[in-house]
């Protein structure tokens, strides 16, 4: 007869096919009594595997989510690290989306039950046209807010100096920045909140029901919302220009760290930075829109210099 450890691994191999196996079959294959089989099943459960009893005709034992590999030993922060890396991998590598999804699914299957909730972090990565990364965000904050999204629990937050009570519905990574799509219960409207601007209060324990999301879903809502709580990124050169475009249009294509403010329904003010004044002028020109007020004087001079360069290029001089 095999040793206890070897026999347990053999039992795990038999159950790992996903089929329901009767107790009689397992006893015969392992050459053990029903009492020993029950003891070996308990050993697997103590190791973190979900060995489920199946009652009735054709019943026996079946291996639930827990996989055909030993349990993955990860703490909560490691789970968040792996999940975020897999879910945001498509923002850095093309053609990896399906592989990342399958890897995440495999990880969930072999993960102990106590960590599977953290492995279902509800986040959608979105690639912005210009990736100017923000400072790294605390994993604990992502985990706590993600858990509230998953469990549909109301959050009390401080956003900068503003106290709010929100229904957290979705996390979106946009231009390497984390945003929370939430319904503000006190203001009675949908909002996009920069997660690194948020301070959490203790859990409220209050649940909330699903409500219709803004048109287009959470990703489109983040893309087209000018007021995302952004601040100008710390570039050497910072400019302010009025553009003859709606704020929602500019918000979608503005680089990370830019600030969009509506002026009228058809115009907005875009504040952004770059490594040089000529480079900043070029970024504004990519919008192809009429410009109003331009500040500071260094940016106006950069536009003048660009006009002269373009004039010579077009004129062939």
């Amino acid at each position: 007869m095999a040793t206890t450890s070897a026999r347990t691994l053999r039992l795990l191999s038999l159950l790992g096919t996903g089929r329901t196996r009767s107790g009689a079959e397992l006893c015969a294959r392992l050459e053990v009594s029903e009492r020993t089989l029950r003891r070996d099943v308990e050993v697997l459960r103590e190791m973190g595997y979900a060995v489920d009893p199946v009652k009735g005709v054709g019943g026996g034992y079946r291996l639930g989510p827990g996989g055909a590999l030993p349990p993955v030993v990860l703490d909560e922060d490691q789970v968040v690290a792996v999940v975020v890396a897999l879910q945001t991998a498509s923002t850095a590598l093309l053609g990896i989306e399906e592989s990342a999804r399958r890897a995440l699914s495999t990880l969930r299957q072999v993960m102990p039950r106590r960590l599977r909730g953290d492995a279902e972090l509800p986040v959608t990565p979105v690639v912005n046209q210009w990736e100017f990364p923000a400072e790294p965000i605390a994993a604990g904050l992502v985990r706590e807010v993600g858990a509230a999204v998953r469990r549909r629990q109301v959050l009390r937050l401080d956003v900068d100096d503003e106290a709010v009570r929100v229904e957290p519905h979705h996390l979106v990574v946009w231009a390497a920045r984390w945003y929370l799509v939430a319904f503000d219960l006190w203001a009675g409207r949908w909002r996009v909140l920069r997660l690194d601007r948020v301070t959490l209060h203790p859990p409220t324990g209050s649940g909330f029901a699903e409500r219709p999301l803004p048109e287009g879903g959470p990703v489109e809502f983040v893309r087209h919302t000018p007021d995302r709580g952004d601040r100008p990124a710390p570039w050497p050169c910072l400019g302010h220009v009025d553009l003859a475009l709606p704020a929602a249009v500019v918000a979608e294509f503005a680089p990370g760290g830019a600030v969009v403010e509506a002026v009228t329904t058809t115009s907005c003010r875009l504040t952004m930075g770059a490594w040089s004044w000529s480079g900043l002028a070029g970024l504004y020109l990519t919008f192809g829109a009429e410009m109003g007020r331009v500040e500071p004087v260094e940016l106006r001079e950069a536009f003048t210099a660009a006009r002269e360069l373009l004039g010579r290029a077009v004129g062939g001089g």
Side-chain angles (χ1 to χ4, degrees), residues 84-252:
V84 169
L86 288 172
Q87 289 189 283
T88 60
S90 61
T91 64
L93 297 173
L94 294 175
I96 201 173
E97 296 88 347
E98 178 59 27
S99 296
R101 280 194 295 270
R102 288 190 289 107
L104 187 57
S105 176
T106 300
L107 179 65
R108 290 187 181 120
Q109 289 295 311
V110 301
M111 189 173 293
R113 285 176 173 172
R114 66 181 180 85
L115 296 181
R116 287 179 197 156
D118 285 330
E120 296 175 357
L121 190 66
V123 56
T124 302
V126 185
V127 178
N128 183 268
Q129 279 66 27
W130 295 318
E131 290 287 348
F132 296 159
E135 291 296 318
I137 191 169
L141 177 61
V142 173
R143 185 173 65 247
E144 289 184 54
V145 175
V149 172
R150 187 176 62 251
R151 297 167 185 164
R152 291 295 185 256
Q153 292 184 340
V154 173
L155 286 175
R156 287 197 307 118
L157 312 170
D158 287 336
V159 184
D160 292 328
D161 296 327
E162 179 189 6
V164 297
R165 187 179 178 92
V166 302
E167 296 175 351
H169 283 261
H170 208 87
L171 286 172
V172 175
V173 179
W174 163 257
R177 288 158 174 80
W178 288 80
Y179 297 95
L180 172 65
V181 176
F183 188 82
D184 189 325
L185 292 170
W186 290 342
R189 63 184 179 91
W190 286 97
R191 297 183 63 178
V192 176
L193 305 175
R194 268 283 292 269
L195 207 56
D196 56 348
R197 306 273 191 262
V198 161
T199 301
L200 286 179
H201 287 277
T204 65
S206 300
F208 63 87
E210 293 284 346
R211 66 171 72 233
L213 290 167
E215 184 178 358
V219 170
E220 290 304 306
F221 185 58
V222 171
R223 276 178 167 158
H224 296 103
T225 297
D227 183 12
R228 295 188 286 248
D230 292 320
R231 295 173 182 169
W235 289 99
C237 303
L238 187 69
H240 316 272
V241 173
D242 287 352
L243 298 176
L245 286 173
V249 173
V250 175
E252 181 177 5

Side-chain angles (χ1 to χ4, degrees), residues 247-294:
V249 173
V250 175
E252 181 177 5
F253 297 100
V259 176
V260 183
E261 303 168 272
V263 176
T264 68
T265 57
T266 59
S267 67
C268 66
R269 188 162 183 74
L270 174 60
T271 299
M272 62 180 176
W275 51 92
S276 68
W277 291 112
S278 58
L280 183 58
L283 290 178
Y284 279 110
L285 288 172
T286 61
F287 287 91
E290 293 290 332
M291 300 184 195
R293 184 174 52 174
V294 175

